[in-house]
Amino acid sequence: MYAIVDVETTGGKYNEEGITEIAIYKYDGNEIVDQLISLVNPEKPIQPFVQKLTGINNAMLVNAPKFYELAKRIIEITDGCFLVAHNAEFDYRMIRNEFAQLGYDFYAQTIDTVRLAQKLLPNQEAYSLGKLVRSLGIPIADRHRASGDALATLKLFKYLLERDTEREILQSVIKSERTNELEPRIFDAIQKCPSAVGVFFFHDKNGQIIHAGKSSNIRKKVNQYFLGKEPWNNFLRENTYEVTYERTGSELIADLKLLEFLETATLKYVHKPRKSQPASWSFKIEDQTIVHTISSRKQNQAAQYFSGASDANKYVRAHFSNVLNFKTQIVINDKIAFENEVVASEEQDVKLAELEKANLNKRDFLVVGQGRTYSERSFIRLKNNELLGYGFFDLNFQIANLEKVEKNTVPLIHAPARVLLIHRFLRRQKFAKTIDLPS
């Protein structure tokens, strides 16, 4: 028995959408034996682009039943059925989320007609519902409405079943879908994760960490890992019993914490970062000549770090090869790569000030970013290009107080490659905020 499903939603942030319309056709393999078609009041506004796409607006849903009023009927019509949908992951997730808000664990085996079509019809140009049914000559009406899309999915499903003469492909797809379903423990683990920036860890039944990652949206990323189709996704589904996380507020802090963890961890499906030595750039003034030294080996007195010598060269030539009244010389790995002549200008002091400001080796400062809440900010501390750690402070807190900064700093292990991440961030984020600390 099959329940062919399609839902329309409000749009919006991942896992915060609401269902605006649902259609379910119960199909016994020969004919439709039951059906449910209804608008749904999501109790939240519909995104403008969704209104334009579906034709469903907020006014239409004022008197529509809320999801809890349809919940019993949905359970009845889907009981004992495979849930069939085009991109089943989305429709199944939406229905499960709605039930989860009611405190009910809705669970069903699913069949995705996208994946089934990809196996049975491998030469199609596209597998979106509209393009696929049109290419197969299957009529479709009320596109982007739940009833129309569900009926089109049903016709497509019947078309595919007819071409699976040995039933071998369908059986393998069902088996695969059952393997890839999110078991209740996995679904619960996802629901506990926040839609926030941070690092996360997958634990096996013994509590051991088997995978780690970082994301600007932890819940979305964890969900993607569980729903993937690669061998390592299967490994996570079979072996994960808990997901823990740490909010960082700042993606930069998440990067640094994950790098530090991976350097000491042994995880089957995570590649350790390469231990590469970034190129360093330093400079000094000798006999009216500014000598820029770029080296892939020497790390002492680095003004900034770059991913390679060519990156450093481009940066220096773009910003400081015309520091006027001074001859400029760029030395890369002990070889002179560029020289220019002296040109007089009144802008000399401005150019030298820019050059001195770019020398992060002589600064004790904080890189300030978003915190874990609206009233909080994060910081990363660098002193003479040494990474000291990170921390958080309230907006009303006087962060420039050195003693308080030191008490609130969580240590991080220093490495030039990690400082490179911070330098790269500062170069790319024109409006990144930094605070210099008193000496």
Side-chain angles (χ1 to χ4, degrees):
M1 195 72 74
Y2 308 99
I4 317 299
V5 179
D6 187 81
V7 299
E8 302 301 329
T9 70
T10 58
K13 291 184 179 180
Y14 180 86
N15 267 11
E16 295 180 11
E17 318 102 307
I19 293 177
T20 59
E21 187 176 35
I22 186 168
I24 303 175
Y25 292 96
K26 193 168 187 177
Y27 178 64
D28 66 1
N30 295 294
E31 60 183 358
I32 297 172
V33 296
D34 198 359
Q35 67 182 47
L36 166 65
I37 302 168
S38 179
L39 291 171
V40 184
N41 184 345
E43 301 182 90
K44 61 184 68 176
I46 307 173
Q47 298 290 309
F49 80 93
V50 177
Q51 293 188 43
K52 186 175 180 180
L53 180 69
T54 65
I56 301 173
N57 58 51
N58 295 306
M60 294 169 60
L61 305 179
V62 172
N63 297 318
K66 297 179 176 63
F67 186 85
Y68 75 85
E69 297 176 90
L70 298 169
K72 183 179 178 181
R73 177 74 175 117
I74 293 171
I75 293 171
E76 289 174 349
I77 198 171
T78 60
D79 185 40
C81 294
F82 282 101
L83 216 63
V84 180
H86 204 71
N87 187 15
E89 172 192 325
F90 173 78
D91 298 84
Y92 184 47
R93 174 175 64 82
M94 289 302 306
I95 294 171
R96 285 209 66 167
N97 284 349
E98 292 283 3
F99 273 110
Q101 292 175 36
L102 302 177
Y104 181 81
D105 183 19
F106 180 84
Y107 184 72
Q109 298 173 354
T110 62
I111 298 175
D112 189 348
T113 50
V114 174
R115 296 179 62 189
L116 189 56
Q118 288 170 340
K119 292 195 176 188
L120 287 166
L121 307 171
N123 298 318
Q124 293 294 310
E125 291 185 3
Y127 291 91
S128 65
L129 182 60
K131 291 180 180 179
L132 183 57
V133 297
R134 278 193 292 270
S135 70
L136 298 175
I138 298 172
I140 183 171
D142 293 330
R143 184 76 176 99
H144 297 301
R145 290 297 297 265
S147 178
D149 285 356
L151 272 177
T153 302
L154 173 57
K155 293 172 183 176
L156 172 62
F157 184 53
K158 292 166 68 175
Y159 180 97
L160 295 170
L161 285 176
E162 290 167 359
R163 279 147 185 80
D164 186 20
T165 55
E166 301 297 325
R167 293 290 187 249
E168 292 181 358
I169 295 177
L170 181 55
Q171 290 177 50
S172 67
V173 169
I174 292 173
K175 181 179 178 181
S176 174
E177 291 293 341
R178 292 181 69 178
T179 301
N180 289 335
E181 283 172 352
L182 297 184
E183 297 179 11
R185 61 182 169 83
I186 299 297
F187 186 76
D188 291 343
I190 294 172
Q191 292 300 101
K192 291 177 184 177
C193 293
S195 299
V197 182
V199 290
F200 53 86
F201 306 91
F202 292 73
H203 301 258
D204 65 14
K205 61 183 178 181
N206 297 316
Q208 297 297 310
I209 295 175
I210 56 176
H211 185 75
K214 59 93 182 178
S215 177
S216 59
N217 187 328
I218 296 173
R219 179 183 291 183
K220 182 177 180 179
K221 194 67 173 180
V222 168
N223 189 64
Q224 289 172 348
Y225 280 171
F226 281 132
L227 291 170
K229 301 171 180 64
E230 299 300 322
W232 66 279
N233 298 116
N234 291 331
F235 172 82
L236 290 179
R237 279 190 292 272
E238 293 170 1
N239 293 279
T240 300
Y241 282 76
E242 186 67 57
V243 177
T244 60
Y245 61 87
E246 181 179 345
R247 293 174 184 254
T248 62
S250 158
E251 288 192 65
L252 191 54
I253 293 176
D255 279 322
L256 294 170
K257 288 185 70 67
L258 182 62
L259 281 175
E260 184 167 304
F261 172 78
L262 292 180
E263 282 195 2
T264 57
T266 304
L267 306 179
K268 183 176 181 180
Y269 283 103
V270 176
H271 295 291
K272 287 192 175 183
R274 291 186 305 167
K275 291 187 177 181
S276 57
Q277 197 72 288
S280 64
W281 160 53
S282 59
F283 61 88
K284 58 185 176 179
I285 299 177
E286 294 180 344
D287 300 324
Q288 290 295 102
T289 300
I290 300 179
V291 181
H292 299 275
T293 302
I294 297 170
S295 174
S296 298
R297 300 178 298 275
K298 300 174 183 176
Q299 302 298 330
N300 294 333
Q301 304 302 313
Q304 288 189 40
Y305 289 103
F306 293 82
S307 57
S310 61
D311 292 337
N313 184 29
K314 288 177 185 177
Y315 174 80
V316 174
R317 291 186 67 164
H319 292 83
F320 306 116
S321 63
N322 61 340
V323 178
L324 309 176
N325 284 357
F326 283 89
K327 182 177 180 179
T328 298
Q329 183 183 86
I330 300 177
V331 180
I332 301 177
N333 291 333
D334 302 326
K335 293 182 180 180
I336 296 176
F338 173 82
E339 281 187 307
N340 70 352
E341 298 300 324
V342 177
V343 181
S345 170
E346 296 178 357
E347 298 179 2
Q348 181 61 45
D349 291 341
V350 175
K351 288 290 183 181
L352 285 175
E354 288 180 6
L355 182 61
E356 188 59 35
K357 187 177 179 181
N359 185 6
L360 302 181
N361 182 54
K362 293 184 178 181
R363 292 177 64 189
D364 183 359
F365 68 100
L366 307 177
V367 180
V368 179
Q370 181 60 50
R372 298 161 296 186
T373 64
Y374 288 113
S375 63
E376 186 180 67
R377 291 293 179 267
S378 63
F379 69 83
I380 299 170
R381 186 182 178 190
L382 283 179
K383 183 176 182 181
N384 301 331
N385 268 342
E386 181 181 356
L387 174 61
L388 297 184
Y390 73 96
F392 301 95
F393 65 96
D394 190 88
L395 283 174
N396 298 319
F397 183 66
Q398 295 299 313
I399 191 60
N401 183 304
L402 183 58
E403 182 181 355
K404 290 183 178 179
V405 169
E406 290 176 343
K407 286 182 178 179
N408 281 277
T409 298
V410 180
L412 285 170
I413 299 173
H414 168 75
R418 294 177 198 165
V419 177
L420 166 62
L421 284 179
I422 302 169
H423 287 184
R424 186 185 292 159
F425 171 83
L426 293 174
R427 288 193 291 269
R428 292 178 177 175
Q429 302 294 325
K430 186 179 293 187
F431 301 106
K433 184 179 180 181
T434 61
I435 297 176
D436 285 287
L437 294 173
S439 55

